[in-house]
């Protein structure tokens, strides 16, 4: 059993987005964070100070740990932002404004 | 055209906000229900979006019939035009309007850049709560998530972060999280609860008044058994291990004083830790309106009124107590607001049933609160190099130094000396930890804005043409 089977999900047509240039599959309605988790990715940010990896922590938009760069906009909360076909997602280094 | 009905803005579309909106709309008030999510339901009734085509979303929920009733009633009211539902609206501030009423300021959509304002005669705050997590070495590793976060990602995105999870901390939320993850195919290696479940037996009165809650507990117990989840009561996670990602946790037994019993530590391999130590109320909007705060919750009277005229509050924002309590409080708040706004005679007998279930639920959760307290000596496990403020990467050592060497005696001074609580989340995550390490009570943080706001929006917020 997986979560999709548990709720009898029949998702609409899937699509791809890129994470640092690598294609990953996503489903309609998912957030960026959900698509990354489904692809087995659990960290997508390096902290400003120690450069430590971070991903989802609170999952509901309160903690800001899951910040990521989406379509060149840094500091997007991956747990809130819906994923769209063709999105360019990049791991965020520090403030995300360095490049 | 007839005289326009009075207008109530309800903020938050979880159980409390929904019950309040329906009650107010049914009694002659025009309601605008403003919520940050794409669909109503709040965290409790968070569901996968339509694109995921879930045919049995109820498999991840209980009290689904209640949700269906709320959903149908909301749809009927929206159709009839008595409730306007503004989804994807992130409220950042509510201010009194001149000469009367209130202005609700929100940001639209996931990008949260476009401002929207709503004017209303009165407001009802149903802003819910969020999870409290106390720090321990390794808690910033990817793979460590809040228990509620794991549940939110599962309910809303139909995803799980790994294959083998430890669920840990304290509180009633851990049970649905563990059973939900197990049902979704994740191996739940252990449910680590720091409280002693036997302590409930010393609270027979509150328990006997809530037979439904007892039955719920028994159902969860049966599900845990069925999924072979090992229950470790009076245990705690003392550390999370891994380099770039979690690969194990160390759990240990607690003595009766809430101290780790030396020699009981053992390592449990896992790729996910879902951890939580209770809930905190979202009170920012109430605070900025000047509502009286009682402890860490919005203070309300029997009618769910705050002490600011025209401002009601219901649900977890007035104290954590679960969905049933939120429904009861929301119903009473909506009825009270409607009566006050339409100038009809106030008849508390009309909501006697809701008032009864509110009293019982509050008593039950008061009993739960005395049982589900984090281990008394949790700070002893927090090493000096443990990051406490996740946003600003402030360590426990820095906090201790601010207290011991620099003389900080309260959370605010620690913040000024260390930057703990000064980052993106504005201290929402680290506040209980900083207070605990500083040896002081957690007090409400005064936040002028409930969420980040683009400067351009702030600059235009006072502009009369902005409506």
């Amino acid at each position: 059993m997986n979560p999709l089977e548990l709720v009898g999900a029949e998702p609409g047509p899937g699509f791809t987005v890129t994470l640092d240039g690598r294609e990953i599959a996503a489903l309609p309605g998912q957030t960026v964070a959900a698509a990354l988790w489904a692809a087995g990715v659990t960290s997508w940010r390096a902290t400003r100070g120690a450069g430590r990896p971070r991903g989802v922590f609170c999952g509901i938009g309160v903690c800001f740990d899951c910040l990521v760069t989406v379509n060149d906009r840094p500091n997007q909360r991956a747990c809130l932002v819906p994923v769209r076909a063709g999105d360019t997602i990049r791991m965020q280094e520090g403030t995300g404004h360095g490049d | 055209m007839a005289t326009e009905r009075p207008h109530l803005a309800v903020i938050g579309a979880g159980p409390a906000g929904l019950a309040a909106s329906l009650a107010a709309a049914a009694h002659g008030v025009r309601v605008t229900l403003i919520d940050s999510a794409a669909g109503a339901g709040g965290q409790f009734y968070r569901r996968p979006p339509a694109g995921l085509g879930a045919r049995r979303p109820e498999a991840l929920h209980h009290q689904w019939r209640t949700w269906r009733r709320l959903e149908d009633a909301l749809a009927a009211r929206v159709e009839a035009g008595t409730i306007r539902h503004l989804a994807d609206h992130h409220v950042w501030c509510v201010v009194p309007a001149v000469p009367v009423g209130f202005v609700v300021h929100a940001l639209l959509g996931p990008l949260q850049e476009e401002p929207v304002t709503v004017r209303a005669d009165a407001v009802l705050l149903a802003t819910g709560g969020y999870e409290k997590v106390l720090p321990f070495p390794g808690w910033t590793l990817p793979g460590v998530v809040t228990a509620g976060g794991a549940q939110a990602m599962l309910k809303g995105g139909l995803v799980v972060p790994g294959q083998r999870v430890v669920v840990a901390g304290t509180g009633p939320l851990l049970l649905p999280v563990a059973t939900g993850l197990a049902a979704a195919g994740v191996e739940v290696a252990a449910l680590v609860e720091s409280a002693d479940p036997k302590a409930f037996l010393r609270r027979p009165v509150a328990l006997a008044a809530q037979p439904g809650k007892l039955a719920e507990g028994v159902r969860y117990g049966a599900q845990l058994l069925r999924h072979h989840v090992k229950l470790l009561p009076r245990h705690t996670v003392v550390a999370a291990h891994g380099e770039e990602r979690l690969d194990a946790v160390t759990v240990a037994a607690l003595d009766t004083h809430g101290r780790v019993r030396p020699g009981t530590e053992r390592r449990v391999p896992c790729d996910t830790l879902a951890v939580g130590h209770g809930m905190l109320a979202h009170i920012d909007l109430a605070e900025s309106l000047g509502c009286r705060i009682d402890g860490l919750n919005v203070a309300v009277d029997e009618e769910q009124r705050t002490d600011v005229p025209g401002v009601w509050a219901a649900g977890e924002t007035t104290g954590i107590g679960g969905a049933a309590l939120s429904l009861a409080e929301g119903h009473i708040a909506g009825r009270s607001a409607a009566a006050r706004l339409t100038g009809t005679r106030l008849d508390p007998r009309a909501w006697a049933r809701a008032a009864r279930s509110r009293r019982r639920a509050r008593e039950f959760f008061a009993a739960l609160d005395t049982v589900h307290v984090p281990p008394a000596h949790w700070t002893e496990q927090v090493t000096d190099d443990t990051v406490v403020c996740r946003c600003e990467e402030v360590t426990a050592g820095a906090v201790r130094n601010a207290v011991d060497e620099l003389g900080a005696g309260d959370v605010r001074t620690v913040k000024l000396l260390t930057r703990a609580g000064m980052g993106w989340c504005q201290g929402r995550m680290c506040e209980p930890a900083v207070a605990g390490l500083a040896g002081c009570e957690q007090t409400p943080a005064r936040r002028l804005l409930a969420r980040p706001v683009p400067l351009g929006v702030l600059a235009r917020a006072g502009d009369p043409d902005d409506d």
Side-chain angles (χ1 to χ4, degrees):
Chain A
M1 189 73 85
N2 66 44
L4 291 158
E5 289 164 5
L6 178 66
V7 300
E10 290 173 353
F15 50 83
T16 59
V17 298
T18 60
L19 173 65
D20 285 341
R22 171 165 78 95
E23 284 210 341
I24 64 167
L27 294 173
Q30 282 182 328
T31 59
V32 168
L36 292 174
W37 269 20
V41 182
T42 48
S43 72
W44 46 82
R45 177 166 82 89
T47 60
R48 288 170 297 163
R52 296 295 296 151
R54 296 280 177 87
V56 167
F57 184 58
C58 82
I60 62 168
V62 178
C63 79
F64 293 76
D65 247 23
C66 67
L67 295 177
V68 71
T69 299
V70 183
N71 300 328
D72 294 327
R73 288 169 49 97
N75 298 314
Q76 301 301 297
R77 279 170 281 180
C79 73
L80 296 184
V81 177
V83 69
R84 308 270 183 224
D87 275 348
T88 307
I89 304 163
R90 278 188 292 126
M91 301 261 188
Q92 181 167 323
E93 298 292 329
T95 63
H97 292 290
D99 50 19
Chain B
M1 190 179 154
T3 318
E4 182 127 293
R5 294 169 172 217
H7 181 203
L8 175 70
V10 175
I11 301 163
L18 283 169
S21 298
L22 294 170
H27 291 86
V29 170
R30 190 163 54 93
V31 174
T32 301
L33 174 60
I34 310 167
D35 188 65
S36 59
Q43 297 302 336
F44 190 73
Y45 290 116
R46 182 188 275 263
R47 298 165 323 286
L52 286 171
R55 284 174 297 139
R56 294 187 304 274
E58 65 272 24
L60 285 165
H61 287 265
H62 60 288
Q63 295 166 22
W64 189 252
R65 260 181 307 181
T66 306
W67 162 248
R68 293 306 294 268
R69 268 205 306 278
L70 292 168
E71 186 183 34
D72 291 348
L74 176 65
R77 288 280 165 199
V78 168
E79 173 81 12
T82 46
I83 296 181
R84 184 165 61 125
H85 177 201
L86 301 180
D88 251 334
H89 279 60
H90 303 255
V91 176
W92 54 270
C93 197
V94 181
V95 290
V98 180
V100 288
F102 297 89
V103 182
V104 179
H105 291 276
L107 296 166
L108 188 58
L111 296 184
Q112 298 182 33
E113 284 184 332
E114 190 186 328
V116 177
T117 57
V118 174
R119 286 176 183 275
D121 301 307
V123 290
L124 197 154
L125 307 170
T127 47
Y130 59 101
E131 208 164 7
K132 172 168 96 176
V133 185
L134 298 170
F136 46 86
W139 78 309
T140 55
L141 276 171
V144 180
V145 295
T146 68
Q151 192 186 42
M153 294 284 288
L154 176 57
K155 281 178 178 176
L158 303 180
V159 287
V160 290
Q163 291 309 309
R164 188 176 152 88
V165 63
V166 169
V167 179
T170 190
L173 178 62
L174 302 185
L175 291 167
V177 170
T179 53
L181 288 168
V186 179
E187 182 193 351
V188 181
L191 173 52
V192 182
E193 164 61 65
S194 63
D196 183 351
K198 286 199 209 79
F200 283 113
L201 301 177
R202 293 194 287 273
R203 311 246 157 221
V205 177
L207 287 183
Q210 292 276 297
K213 285 283 170 197
L214 274 183
E216 199 177 309
V218 170
R219 269 201 308 278
Y220 282 128
Q223 285 175 50
L224 292 175
L225 270 177
R226 184 152 49 87
H227 291 294
H228 308 291
V229 176
K230 186 188 293 175
L231 180 63
L232 296 174
R234 299 181 311 283
H235 277 66
T236 190
V237 167
V238 294
H241 311 285
E243 287 301 319
E244 298 296 300
R245 197 198 188 301
L246 180 75
D247 56 38
V249 295
T250 295
V251 299
L254 292 161
D255 67 16
T256 50
H257 303 290
R259 266 202 178 89
V260 165
R261 292 161 66 149
T264 62
E265 294 90 349
R266 65 183 131 140
R267 209 175 163 104
V268 181
C270 58
D271 56 22
T272 304
L273 172 66
V275 59
H277 298 104
M279 302 271 295
L280 294 164
H282 274 298
I283 59 171
D284 300 340
L285 297 176
E287 279 238 290
S288 58
L289 277 163
C291 302
R292 188 169 69 81
I293 306 299
D294 180 10
L296 296 173
N297 306 314
V298 181
V300 288
D301 66 8
E302 280 295 297
E303 287 178 49
Q304 300 293 136
R305 290 183 301 176
T306 73
D307 65 341
V308 174
V311 180
W312 279 257
E316 313 256 65
T317 189
T318 72
I320 304 303
L325 177 57
S326 293
L327 287 170
E329 289 192 1
H331 181 80
I332 295 166
R335 294 288 293 258
S336 163
R340 299 275 172 187
L341 285 171
T342 57
T344 50
R345 199 171 63 83
L346 194 76
D347 182 7
R349 283 174 305 183
W351 57 73
R353 224 179 95 201
R356 212 164 35 242
S357 70
R358 177 178 64 179
R359 180 175 53 77
R360 285 185 186 153
R362 281 184 183 163
E363 281 167 7
F364 179 74
F365 273 86
L368 271 193
D369 274 353
T370 61
V371 174
H372 288 292
V373 284
H377 296 275
W378 64 268
T379 57
E380 290 173 14
Q381 306 307 315
V382 184
T383 55
D384 277 349
D385 62 352
T386 301
V387 165
V388 170
C389 169
R390 301 174 69 96
C391 301
E392 295 291 316
E393 297 174 83
V394 180
T395 62
V399 173
R400 286 173 174 141
N401 183 60
V403 174
D404 299 339
E405 305 298 324
L406 305 175
D410 61 90
V411 172
R412 188 176 172 78
T413 310
V414 172
K415 173 177 169 177
L416 293 172
L417 291 169
T418 66
R419 295 193 63 81
M422 217 175 264
W424 289 294
C425 89
Q426 286 290 288
R428 287 177 178 88
M429 289 294 130
C430 67
E431 225 159 46
V434 171
L437 289 166
C440 55
E441 280 282 299
Q442 191 187 343
T443 50
R446 302 201 69 106
R447 298 182 187 101
L448 192 58
L449 309 178
R451 59 183 70 247
V453 185
L455 276 173
V457 171
L458 262 189
R460 289 201 307 276
D463 188 337
D465 295 335
D466 196 38
D467 279 16

